[in-house]
Amino acid sequence: MFSDSKKEKSPMETTSNQNIIAQGTKVTGDLVSEGDFRIDGQVEGNLRSPGKIVVGKTGFIKGTLVGTDAYFEGKFSGKLTLSGTLTLKSSAHIEGEVILGKLAVEPGATFNVNCAMKGAVKDIKPSDRQTPQTKQPEGSERTA
């Protein structure tokens, strides 16, 4: 009636991988992972991940960061490229060059960057550009 067999997950079946750089740890070089990153220590170099990147209050990245979404409470200096959202908490300090899809900033965060937003661009129609002085009331005509 009940089976004693248990399914064991192979290492390839794990659904979530999180890499942690703990406080007091300094990593110099390139880091590449398919999983998420939590950084409470220091990273000097290039970091690339399609997962979520979280930088805690004691975390610091100096270099290049390429990913999807990032959440900062700590510091960053360098080039940051995200296809998704950059979230800055009040303790965040970001300097350098930033290319991203969306930006969320809490009051108190430092954001000293050259920033380009590469999200969906909304076209502005010529009729949307008219100022109140140039709009004509319905039924009236303008003669020159």
Side-chain angles (χ1 to χ4, degrees), residues 20-29 31 38-45 47 55-63 75:
I20 299 173
I21 308 295
Q23 184 175 355
T25 302
K26 181 177 179 179
V27 176
T28 303
L31 298 172
R38 167 79 192 197
I39 299 169
D40 291 311
Q42 294 182 19
V43 174
E44 288 188 19
L47 183 119
V55 179
K57 285 185 179 183
T58 59
F60 175 64
I61 299 174
K62 182 177 182 180
K75 298 179 181 180

Side-chain angles (χ1 to χ4, degrees), residues 53 55 65 70-76 80 82 85-95 98 100 102-113 115:
I53 298 158
V55 179
L65 177 98
Y71 179 95
F72 274 86
E73 290 182 292
K75 298 179 181 180
F76 177 85
L80 174 63
L82 300 173
T85 303
L86 172 61
T87 303
L88 303 179
K89 300 302 279 182
S90 61
S91 58
H93 185 94
I94 310 296
E95 294 181 350
V98 175
L100 48 86
K102 295 178 185 175
L103 177 63
V105 182
E106 279 189 3
T110 302
F111 192 61
N112 293 326
V113 302
C115 182

